[in-house]
Amino acid sequence: MQRDFQEPARCRPDLVIGREEVFGQAREQLARGGSVLLHGPAGIGKSTVLRALAADNSGSARTVLRCSATESESHLPFLALADLLGLVLDEVTGKLPVAQRTALESALTGRGESTLQRDGLALRLAVLSALRALAAEGPVLIVADDVQWLDSASAELLGFAARRLGGTPVRMLCAVRTEGQEYDRHLRASPPDTLALRVNPLSRTQVSELLGHRGYTGLPRSTVRDIHRTSGGNPLFALELGRALSENPTPPRPGEPLPVPTSLRTLVLNRLEMLSDEARRTLLVASAGARPTPALLRAAGRENAEAETAQAAALGLLATDPEGPAVRFAHPLISAALYAEAPAHERRAAHAALSKAASDPIERARHLALATTGTDPDTADSLAEAASLARDRGAPSVAASLGLLAARHTPAEGNPDARRLQAAEDAITAGELDLARDIARDVLTRATVPADRVRAWIIVIDTAGHAMTEVDSVFPQALADAGDDPQLLALIHYQLTWRALLVDGDFDRAREEAAHSAALAAQAGDRYNELMALACQAQIETLMGHPDAPATIKKALKEPQDPRVSCHHNGAGYSRFRWLIMSDQLAEARATVTTLLREVQRTGAVESEVHFLRGVAETELRSGHCGRALDLARESLVMARDTGIGEVASAVLTSLCEASGGDVERALELAREAVDHAEEDGDQMYVSRALTALGYAQLVAGDAEGAVRSLRRVRELEHGLGITDPARGRWQGDLAEALVRTGELSEAQDVIDVTREQALRLGRESVLAVLDRAEGLLRAARSEHEAALAQLTSVQDRLAKLGYGLEEARTAFALAQLRTRRPGPTSYDEAARLFRRCRALPWLRQVDAASAVPAADPEPAAAPAPASDALEGLAAMERQVAALVMEGATNREIAARLFISVKTVEATLTRVYRKLGIRSRVDIVRLAAGRRTK
C-alpha cells in the first residue's frame, strides 16, 4: 500500500510555467531511479517545481517522506528528521537493532537526551537502516524543501544515509536556496547519482504567461517588460509587482519605476539599515540613474561615492563589475525598492543633481523632467528634442517615454496632444501596441482638431493588427473627422486597403483602395503616404499575379524616396523582396531582406524587424537551409509573442520550419493554433496561410488524408480571395502529392493542370518543377514507371539549379523509392545526403524508415491478378494494393511502395473487400491461388 505523509496541495506539472526543460530533466532522472537537487535564489520557483515533481512521482513510490524546513526552526535538533520519519517510526523500529532503535526513538520523540556527540554512530546507522527497511517493502521517495534550513543534526544524518544507500530504491528530491554555484556542499550530502539542476529566471514571455495565469491580465506589454526587468525574471518578485500594480488605481507616470509593494521592500531592503545616511543617499542617486558610475555620482555631488558604494557592495547591495566601472545593483529590485522607499522631494533632488551631471542629452532631459513639477515650456521642448534624438538613435521606446514626459510638461496652449500622438507612434515602432492604443484613445476623449483626431484613429486601427473587425466602427468616425482633406483621406483609405484584404479577402477592392490612397496623397503633396500606398498596391498585385505588379514596384521605387518608407515592412523594399522570392531569385531576395533587417535592427523598428526576420527565415527555408530557417523562425515567434505583433504569421512560418527541420508534432500544434487565431480575427488571408502550414505538416507526418482536407480548404479560400499566383503559398504540389497518396488520382491531375497553367503564365519555374514531381508520383501510381523515372530525374536537376535544396532532396527521395527493387541501407544514400545537408530531420527520419522496409517486387502491374472478374471493377489504386497483397506484402510495405500512408492502404483494402465480397487479406490470396491453378 502506498504511504504518503504530510502531502501538500497537488501542483499540476502543466502549470510549471517556464520550467518545462528543468521539469523534464528532473522527471527523466527520477524515472531512472536517480535523485535530484534543485537549486537557485529565493523566489525563483524551486518549491513549485518540487511540488510538481513530487505529485508526478508519488504514484511510483510506496512511501513518500516529506519535510520542509524553516529558518526560525533550524536551531531545533532532529526536527527535519522527525518530519521525515515520525509517522513511520512504528513501522521500522521493530526492524532495528536495540541500540539503533533506542537512539532513534530518543532523537525523534525528545523523551531522551540523544545527541550526535553521544549517540552519533547509532543514530547514523539507525537512519540508514530505517530507510533500507522501508525500501525493502517498496520504492521510497524523500522530498525535502528549503534544505538550507535543515537543522544541522538532521542534515548530517540524512547525508550519511544518502551516501550509503547504493542500489537501494530510495530517491531524493530536494530543493535548496543558493546564490551562484554554492550548491556543491549540498550535493556532497546527496546520493552519488544526484543530478543538480539550477532553476533560472523566467523570460519576459514566461513572466507575461505567469501573470496572466494568476489573474493579472490586461497589463500593457510595456508594463510587463518593466515587471520583468525589475523582478529580474524572479517569479515571486514578478507576481508581487503584478499584484501591487493591479491594486494601485494610478499607474506609474512616464519615466518613473514601478511601485514596489511593502512585502518586497522588506525582503530586499533590510540590509539598508546598516548603511550610513550618506551612503544611502548615494545609492538613491545611483538608483535614479540609468548607467551610474563613480564619476557620475561624484559629478552629482556625492563626493565619497567610491567609499560609500564599497560599503554597499560589502553588504551585498551592489555587485562588482570586473569589466567596467559601472555601479550595478545586486538585483534590479533593490534599486526599485530603494527608489520607491525614498520621499518624493529626495527623488526630485537626485534627478536634479543628475540633470546637471549627465553627459548624454537624453539622460539630462529625462532627469530634468523628473526633477520638475507642473508645466514648463523649456523643459517640454528639451524633452521633445531628446525624444527626436532617441528616435534617430533607433530607440523608439525611449522616444515614446520622453514624448509622454514632454506632453506632461507642455502647457495647454502648446498642443500637448500632438506630442502624445507622436509618443504613441513611437510606441508602435517599438512594438508597445497597448501603450499606443491607450494614448490614442485618451487623446480622442478631448481632441477637437481634425488632424489630431484622424491621427489618433489611425493609431487605434494600426494597433488592432490583423484583428481589424474589432475596429470596424472606427472607419465612419475617421472619415467624418477627415472631411474633404485629401491628406487625411489618404490615411484612411490606406487602412481601408488592409481591411479589404484581411477582413473581406477582396483583392480587387484592396487594389482600388491602395491606388485611391496613393492618388489622394499625391494630390496633398504627401510623398511618404503616397509611397506607402504604392508599395501596398504592388504587394497586392504581386499576390494576385497581376501583370501590372513590376510597373507598380518600379513606380514605388521612383525618386524622390522617403527613408522611412524604404525600410518599412509595408514599403517598396519589402514588396520587391516578395516579388523576388516568388520569382525564384533566391540569392537576390536573401540579400535584399537581410539588408532591410540590419537597417531596422539599427533603428529599433520592432514590427518591421519581426517581418524581416520571417523574410530571411523564409528565404533560408526555400534554399534548403532548414536549421538556419528554424532558428530564425523561432526567434521571430518569440519576438512576435513578446510584442503581440504578427503572432499568427510567425506561428505559420515556424510551423513550416518545424515540419521541415525540427519537430513535426510542434509544427502541427503551431499550425492549428494559427488557424484558430486567424479565424477568430476574421483574417481570411492568414486562415489560408495557416491551413497551408497545417497541410504540409500533416503530409510530413504521414497523414495524407488530413493534408488533403486542409489543402482543399486552402484551394477554396484562395479561389474566393482571387489569388492566382501559385508562388504565393506553394501548396499545390503538396495537395497533388497527398491526393496521389490517398488514391484520388483524377483530382490530383486536375490540381496539377490548373496550377501549371497559372505558373506558366507567370513564369514560376520552381512551382512548375514541383508540379512535375507530383505528376511523376501520379504516373508511378498509374504504373507508368519509366515515364515517372524520367520525369523525376529531370525535376531533381531543375530544382538543384534553381537552388531549392529541400525540394531537390524530396525529389531524390521519391526517385529512390521508385527505383529500389530491394531496399537496403545504401539504396537511399543520395536522398539521405541531401536531407542531411538541409538539416531536414523529419524527412531524414522518413528515409531511415523507408530503407528499413523489406523489399518487394516494385512492378505491381506484372503481378498476377485475382481470378474474379470483379477485379475489373476496382480503381487503379485498389488493383495495385490488391496485387501487392497477393505477393504477401504488409500494409507498411505497400505504403512505402506506392507513396501512400498506412491509413490509406487500410482504407483502400476496406473498399476492395466490399467490392469483391470478401472479408480479409487471406481471401485475396485465395483468389490469386485460384487463378494460378487454372
Side-chain angles (χ1 to χ4, degrees):
M1 180 181 68
Q2 181 182 322
R3 306 281 299 279
D4 192 351
F5 303 105
Q6 302 177 24
E7 181 178 7
R10 292 293 181 97
C11 175
R12 289 173 52 207
D14 60 346
L15 298 184
V16 185
I17 294 169
R19 305 303 185 203
E20 293 81 5
E21 183 176 356
V22 70
F23 183 87
Q25 290 177 291
R27 190 179 191 181
E28 289 178 7
Q29 171 73 356
L30 291 166
R32 289 192 294 265
S35 296
V36 172
L37 176 68
L38 304 168
H39 64 97
I44 204 67
K46 303 179 298 298
S47 296
T48 301
V49 177
L50 183 90
R51 288 194 297 271
L53 286 166
D56 188 65
N57 284 271
S58 59
S60 61
R62 175 186 179 271
T63 305
V64 180
L65 307 174
R66 301 176 184 268
C67 71
S68 183
T70 62
E71 184 177 14
S72 62
E73 297 173 340
S74 60
H75 65 286
L76 299 173
F78 306 120
L79 182 62
L81 194 65
D83 286 342
L84 287 170
L85 297 177
L87 294 178
V88 295
L89 187 60
D90 292 341
E91 181 179 343
V92 299
T93 50
K95 301 174 184 179
L96 304 182
V98 175
Q100 294 179 24
R101 181 171 66 245
T102 302
L104 186 59
E105 287 178 340
S106 176
L108 297 188
T109 63
R111 290 195 292 268
E113 296 181 357
S114 183
T115 65
L116 274 180
Q117 288 73 25
R118 193 182 73 181
D119 303 315
L121 181 58
L123 274 172
R124 288 175 172 84
L125 293 174
V127 173
L128 179 58
S129 299
L131 292 175
R132 284 175 173 165
L134 289 169
E137 301 298 324
V140 176
L141 177 64
I142 298 173
V143 182
D145 199 3
D146 282 320
V147 170
Q148 75 279 0
W149 301 132
L150 287 183
D151 61 273
S152 58
S154 295
E156 168 62 25
L157 293 170
L158 199 58
F160 175 87
R163 292 189 295 272
R164 290 164 176 79
L165 287 169
T168 308
V170 177
R171 298 169 295 166
M172 293 184 66
L173 173 58
C174 303
V176 61
R177 181 185 302 179
T178 58
E179 297 293 340
Q181 300 297 315
E182 61 187 43
Y183 66 91
D184 285 352
R185 65 184 180 90
H186 299 289
L187 193 59
R188 287 192 294 271
S190 303
D193 63 350
T194 299
L195 174 66
L197 294 172
R198 180 170 180 79
V199 183
N200 290 311
L202 299 177
S203 68
R204 184 168 65 176
T205 301
Q206 291 162 349
V207 165
S208 177
E209 185 181 356
L210 176 66
L211 292 167
H213 176 68
R214 294 299 179 89
Y216 304 130
T217 56
L219 295 173
R221 284 186 170 83
S222 56
T223 301
V224 174
R225 179 198 61 200
D226 290 342
I227 289 175
H228 178 256
R229 184 182 63 242
T230 303
S231 68
N234 185 297
L236 173 64
F237 298 169
L239 287 171
E240 285 295 298
L241 290 167
R243 180 181 60 78
L245 282 166
S246 67
E247 294 174 354
N248 187 352
T250 306
R253 295 191 301 176
E256 290 187 348
L258 297 176
V260 180
T262 304
S263 59
L264 292 185
R265 293 189 204 182
T266 303
L267 180 64
V268 301
L269 297 181
N270 53 2
R271 285 169 285 184
L272 279 176
E273 296 178 0
M274 302 174 68
L275 285 175
S276 66
D277 290 343
E278 290 301 311
R280 186 164 178 158
R281 290 192 187 96
T282 295
L283 287 195
L284 174 61
V285 175
S287 72
R291 293 175 297 275
T293 62
L296 178 65
L297 295 175
R298 285 196 305 273
R302 309 310 304 164
E303 297 177 357
N304 299 314
E306 282 87 349
E308 289 160 354
T309 54
Q311 181 187 357
L315 292 171
L317 293 165
L318 297 178
T320 56
D321 189 349
E323 298 183 1
V327 174
R328 187 164 58 86
F329 284 88
H331 192 281
L333 191 61
I334 297 174
S335 172
L338 177 64
Y339 187 92
E341 188 80 1
H345 69 276
E346 289 187 11
R347 292 188 223 167
R348 287 196 297 272
H351 287 296
L354 287 167
S355 70
K356 299 174 182 176
S359 58
D360 185 85
I362 292 177
E363 276 298 291
R364 286 200 304 270
R366 185 178 76 88
H367 289 303
L368 179 62
L370 294 173
T372 305
T373 58
T375 59
D376 182 86
D378 293 336
T379 299
D381 290 344
S382 296
L383 285 162
E385 291 173 8
S388 178
L389 181 57
R391 201 176 301 118
D392 292 341
R393 287 183 182 178
S397 180
V398 175
S401 177
L402 291 167
L404 289 175
L405 286 170
R408 195 176 87 194
H409 290 286
T410 301
E413 62 272 16
N415 193 8
D417 280 342
R419 283 174 169 163
R420 290 189 181 93
L421 292 170
Q422 178 62 64
E425 290 164 355
D426 287 330
I428 289 177
T429 303
E432 299 177 11
L433 305 186
D434 293 339
L435 175 61
R437 185 186 304 111
D438 291 345
I439 294 170
R441 292 206 177 275
D442 175 60
V443 169
L444 285 166
T445 61
R446 59 178 173 273
T448 57
V449 178
D452 287 347
R453 291 189 61 79
V454 170
R455 191 176 175 187
W457 288 126
I458 296 300
I459 291 168
V460 171
I461 295 169
D462 268 343
T463 55
H466 286 199
M468 296 194 78
T469 52
E470 297 177 3
V471 292
D472 266 352
S473 62
V474 165
F475 287 101
Q477 299 175 74
L479 287 167
D481 284 331
D484 57 1
D485 186 320
Q487 185 172 19
L488 299 180
L489 288 170
L491 297 174
I492 301 167
H493 282 282
Y494 178 77
Q495 296 296 338
L496 285 169
T497 301
W498 289 105
R499 191 198 177 284
L501 275 177
L502 301 177
V503 178
D504 299 331
D506 188 337
F507 276 62
D508 289 323
R509 172 69 184 279
R511 180 173 176 265
E512 292 172 5
E513 289 285 4
H516 187 39
S517 175
L520 287 166
Q523 179 185 340
D526 184 349
R527 183 61 174 163
Y528 170 80
N529 284 302
E530 180 189 4
L531 291 172
M532 289 294 293
L534 286 170
C536 186
Q537 181 183 344
Q539 284 202 49
I540 295 166
E541 290 173 348
T542 300
L543 290 173
M544 295 173 71
H546 198 285
D548 290 351
T552 307
I553 291 174
K554 185 176 180 180
K555 189 176 180 181
L557 290 169
K558 187 177 179 181
E559 296 294 338
Q561 284 292 307
D562 187 309
R564 294 172 296 169
V565 177
S566 59
C567 291
H568 194 281
H569 58 276
N570 287 324
Y574 194 66
S575 297
R576 182 171 179 271
F577 159 72
R578 296 263 22 121
W579 183 79
L580 288 168
I581 200 170
M582 292 172 70
S583 303
D584 300 323
Q585 300 179 57
L586 295 182
E588 193 172 352
R590 182 190 292 109
T592 298
V593 75
T594 300
T595 300
L596 292 170
L597 177 61
R598 287 173 182 158
E599 181 60 22
V600 297
Q601 286 174 333
R602 184 188 68 79
T603 60
V606 174
E607 184 171 7
S608 292
E609 183 177 355
V610 173
H611 275 75
F612 297 155
L613 268 174
R614 288 201 304 268
V616 178
E618 182 183 353
T619 310
E620 297 292 353
L621 183 62
R622 300 289 175 217
S623 302
H625 305 148
C626 299
R628 172 68 175 153
L630 182 56
D631 290 342
L632 289 164
R634 286 173 174 170
E635 183 182 348
S636 80
L637 183 59
V638 169
M639 186 175 291
R641 287 178 169 172
D642 277 352
T643 59
I645 293 172
E647 293 181 69
V648 172
S650 292
V652 166
L653 182 66
T654 308
S655 173
L656 291 169
C657 293
E658 290 282 4
S660 299
D663 183 341
V664 179
E665 289 302 317
R666 177 64 175 152
L668 291 166
E669 178 186 346
L670 284 169
R672 290 182 177 118
E673 288 177 5
V675 171
D676 290 343
H677 291 161
E679 287 178 338
E680 288 172 10
D681 291 343
D683 185 341
Q684 295 302 301
M685 279 184 62
Y686 269 97
V687 170
S688 166
R689 293 189 181 188
L691 285 167
T692 297
L694 179 58
Y696 174 65
Q698 288 167 323
L699 186 67
V700 177
D703 180 10
E705 293 88 348
V708 167
R709 286 193 300 271
S710 298
L711 297 177
R712 276 175 176 160
R713 280 194 64 195
V714 176
R715 193 182 191 191
E716 293 168 5
L717 281 167
E718 292 205 353
H719 178 74
L721 291 169
I723 297 174
T724 60
D725 192 333
R728 181 256 185 184
R730 298 177 182 269
W731 49 266
Q732 295 85 351
D734 288 338
L735 174 56
E737 181 174 339
L739 287 165
V740 170
R741 291 190 189 186
T742 58
E744 297 168 85
L745 307 187
S746 296
E747 185 180 348
Q749 188 68 67
D750 179 65
V751 170
I752 292 168
D753 292 343
V754 171
T755 308
R756 181 178 282 141
E757 182 180 351
Q758 297 164 341
L760 283 168
R761 176 175 61 85
L762 297 167
R764 304 304 192 215
E765 292 298 325
S766 63
V767 174
L768 289 167
V770 169
L771 290 172
D772 283 350
R773 181 180 67 213
E775 191 167 55
L777 297 175
L778 180 60
R779 286 179 168 175
R782 289 171 172 164
S783 300
E784 301 170 16
H785 294 286
E786 293 305 318
L789 281 170
Q791 191 162 16
L792 291 174
T793 302
S794 170
V795 167
Q796 183 179 350
D797 182 60
R798 287 156 59 195
L799 288 168
K801 290 178 180 177
L802 288 169
Y804 284 78
L806 181 59
E807 299 296 349
E808 177 194 359
R810 286 179 62 179
T811 310
F813 184 29
L815 269 169
Q817 290 176 299
L818 188 60
R819 285 172 175 160
T820 303
R821 290 179 177 270
R822 299 189 180 280
T826 61
S827 303
Y828 293 85
D829 285 354
E830 173 70 1
R833 180 185 69 80
L834 291 173
F835 281 134
R836 276 195 296 270
R837 186 182 70 182
C838 294
R839 276 188 58 192
L841 302 182
W843 287 104
L844 194 56
R845 285 191 284 271
Q846 289 195 34
V847 172
D848 292 341
S851 62
V853 174
D857 187 347
E859 301 293 341
S868 171
D869 292 339
L871 184 61
E872 300 303 319
L874 298 180
M877 177 65 71
E878 293 165 353
R879 285 198 301 273
Q880 291 184 69
V881 170
L884 289 170
V885 168
M886 287 189 300
E887 296 174 358
T890 66
N891 286 2
R892 186 181 178 195
E893 291 165 359
I894 296 170
R897 287 282 312 285
L898 299 181
F899 315 105
I900 60 179
S901 70
V902 173
K903 287 183 179 179
T904 300
V905 174
E906 294 168 350
T908 303
L909 280 173
T910 299
R911 293 195 298 272
V912 169
Y913 299 156
R914 185 176 65 251
K915 289 182 178 180
L916 296 182
I918 59 179
R919 295 185 177 183
S920 69
R921 299 166 61 93
V922 174
D923 292 331
I924 294 180
V925 175
R926 287 173 178 161
L927 284 172
R931 165 73 180 194
R932 294 187 184 104
T933 59
K934 291 183 178 178

